[in-house]
Amino acid sequence: MRKSKLALVLMSVLLASCGNAQDAQKAPSEEALRKIVEPRLGEGVKVDSIKATPYSGLYEIRMGSDILYTDKTGTYVFNGHIFNLTTGKDLTRERIDEMTRVKFSDLPLAKALKTVKGDGSRVIAVFEDPNCGYCKQFRKTTLTEIDNVTVYTFLYNILREDSFTKSAGVWCAPDRNKAWDDWMLNGKQPPAAPASCATPNQEIVALGRKIGVTGTPTIIFSDGSRLPGAVDTKTLEAKFAQLK
């Protein structure tokens, strides 16, 4: 937080120092600014959009789910989060959450493992890879400690080639949830999947890429917002409280 605030202050000073020269120039259209900035960011970089922000003349550069900021000449770039020092809000985080929000009801829940704890009233979807150490940690701690939750687990194979093999073994097992827990919690290898057993492996990879899941675990909530990483129980409970 301190580093991000410092970066914002330094950026403000930098922009102010060249303010006289910039004020004399008319701000370009957002499309014109994109054409200026995109080649300057490096070969192969794709800028999805540039739009003006209400933050001291900065423009938001959106690349997938990543955000940078630039000035109206496309000369300077700022990589960091903008905070409102009055409210304490992380404005960049809010914008990223807005961009990455998904419609929960559109998720193909029939292609996920389903676990219900307690009354199951709180619902999340979790993207996990069978070779993900953080996923195992999240499952051993947070998902063991939390209650009154329904968890849909999408087997999202992005780390190793044999992730597909392990996920297929879990999906084709007589008891999928048990096979998944045996592997993630106890290291018991899932049984080999019969050749005749169809899995949703490739569909889930395509889904994750479409909605911008770049790492595991990633938790998606009923309102379409998400949390990346092996968050602890306190953090997960705090997020659930925000949804009420």
Side-chain angles (χ1 to χ4, degrees):
M1 173 75 172
R2 182 176 298 173
K3 288 180 66 178
S4 296
K5 288 181 180 178
L6 179 58
L8 178 55
V9 171
L10 291 175
M11 182 61 182
S12 299
V13 171
L14 179 62
L15 290 178
S17 69
C18 60
N20 291 336
Q22 290 186 18
D23 288 343
Q25 302 177 32
K26 182 180 179 182
S29 70
E30 294 170 357
E31 178 58 23
L33 188 55
R34 186 187 68 79
K35 291 179 180 179
I36 293 171
V37 168
E38 190 170 65
R40 292 180 176 178
L41 291 176
E43 185 177 354
V45 173
K46 176 70 170 67
V47 172
D48 295 310
S49 68
I50 290 185
K51 60 181 291 187
T53 76
Y55 322 132
S56 302
L58 291 178
Y59 285 74
E60 172 195 289
I61 306 171
R62 183 175 68 83
M63 300 178 293
S65 60
D66 294 323
I67 288 178
L68 300 174
Y69 298 97
T70 189
D71 65 295
K72 67 181 179 182
T73 69
T75 304
Y76 304 98
V77 68
F78 165 46
N79 181 13
H81 283 221
I82 295 177
F83 293 84
N84 184 320
L85 295 182
T86 302
T87 64
K89 289 185 177 180
D90 183 341
L91 301 176
T92 303
R93 180 74 259 168
E94 289 184 353
R95 177 69 177 126
I96 292 172
D97 288 345
E98 176 189 335
M99 293 190 318
T100 58
R101 195 174 298 274
V102 300
K103 190 174 181 181
F104 196 91
S105 59
D106 285 348
L107 294 176
L109 300 181
K111 295 174 182 176
L113 309 183
K114 180 180 179 181
T115 304
V116 179
K117 297 187 67 179
D119 62 20
S121 57
R122 305 180 296 181
V123 182
I124 57 174
V126 185
F127 284 74
E128 298 184 50
D129 184 293
N131 287 311
C132 168
Y134 290 111
C135 300
K136 294 175 182 178
Q137 174 188 332
F138 177 65
R139 191 159 285 273
K140 288 177 180 178
T141 56
T142 307
L143 288 187
T144 298
E145 297 166 359
I146 201 96
D147 201 8
N148 297 326
V149 62
T150 299
V151 181
Y152 291 95
T153 303
F154 287 99
L155 308 184
Y156 188 45
N157 307 302
I158 59 173
L159 295 181
R160 299 180 195 167
E161 187 61 34
D162 82 326
S163 293
F164 287 91
T165 302
K166 289 170 180 168
S167 289
V170 168
W171 186 259
C172 297
D175 187 333
R176 293 169 180 167
N177 287 322
K178 182 178 185 305
W180 184 244
D181 282 344
D182 281 348
W183 168 246
M184 297 297 279
L185 301 180
N186 304 312
K188 182 180 177 182
Q189 192 81 15
S196 59
C197 179
T199 75
N201 279 351
Q202 294 295 343
E203 295 170 71
I204 301 308
V205 169
L207 169 68
R209 289 174 177 166
K210 178 181 178 182
I211 64 175
V213 177
T214 58
T216 55
T218 292
I219 311 158
I220 297 180
F221 295 85
S222 57
D223 69 342
S225 62
R226 69 183 73 187
L227 275 179
V231 300
D232 59 21
T233 305
K234 182 179 179 180
T235 301
L236 188 56
E237 287 286 7
K239 176 63 177 179
F240 278 131
Q242 292 175 7
L243 300 180
K244 294 179 181 178

